Amino acid sequence: MRKNISLKIFAGLVFAFLLVPLFIIIVTSFGTNSTIQFPIQGFTLDWYSKVLNNESFMDSFFLSLQVAFIATLLALVIGVPAAYSLARHRVFGRNWIKSFFLSPTIVPGLVVGYSMYQFIVIKFQFPIIQGLLLGHFLICVPYVIRVVGSTIEQLDFSIEEVSWTLGCTKLQTFIKVVLPNITSGIFASFMLAFINSFNNIPVSQFLSGPGVTMLPTSLMNYIEYNYDPSVSALSVILMLGTIVLMFVIEKTLGLASIS
């Protein structure tokens, strides 16, 4: 009994520890102070207006949105078939291949960003936009393979065998049988990959160039010289965007399961 109470208290403290910073960010985004201070002295929406009228923030926001979305879609196109092959076929060195694909999630972000800079910018001199897409594609693929691969491994293999005995080819079985049954994994991997790509700092920092800046880089550059509540306002906007994305994904999964 005492152990359960202690665990509940500990869980409550951890929960509070996570929520308090978020609460402070939300509150300070409405403050009238010229710098981020808590508690606030007054209430205003001017910082949100400043964020929305900041050309640098808006340009980098839409660029990050486009890069993350395209990179995630490409990762799904490549990662879903790759995850299926690794889960269903006895590929030579399968464990090594899995480890290779998952390496961007294991290696420190700074190392990943610098390696991509050496490979994409220095060695092959990709244009900035194409380099950003390639870099973010490489950090999205591991999430797709990890999540979709786990979903496929939990899928009953017998339904695929039944499809083959009924005359379907392996490609038809993959499209008509496997894909509809791993929809939840695909959407979950999309959400994870998209959010990680959008918020990634090291890769965006190393692969950005003159006139082309991703939102994390733009925000870091802004904080270096400014520390006003517009940073909190932008953080709140990003948090709301994440919540909306998760809500849409959840509703989409619910509709998919009903159909």
Side-chain angles (χ1 to χ4, degrees), residues 119-181:
F119 175 78
I120 295 174
V121 179
I122 302 299
K123 179 66 176 178
F124 292 98
Q125 300 181 355
F126 275 78
I128 297 175
I129 298 296
Q130 289 85 335
L132 283 169
L133 284 172
L134 178 58
H136 282 260
F137 163 77
L138 292 175
I139 62 174
C140 286
V141 168
Y143 294 99
V144 175
I145 291 179
R146 174 178 290 182
V147 176
V148 175
S150 299
T151 307
I152 294 173
E153 289 174 355
Q154 296 173 10
L155 184 64
D156 189 355
F157 183 64
S158 61
I159 63 173
E160 297 175 55
E161 294 179 322
V162 171
S163 176
W164 297 337
T165 58
L166 292 175
C168 291
T169 63
K170 290 189 176 182
L171 179 60
Q172 290 173 329
T173 299
F174 177 73
I175 295 174
K176 295 181 179 180
V177 177
V178 176
L179 286 181
N181 283 282

Side-chain angles (χ1 to χ4, degrees), residues 4 31 36 61 64 68 91 105 128 152 155 166 172 208 210-211 234:
N4 292 334
I36 298 177
F61 171 79
S64 294
V91 181
T105 63
I128 297 175
I152 294 173
L155 184 64
L166 292 175
Q172 290 173 329
S208 294
L234 178 60

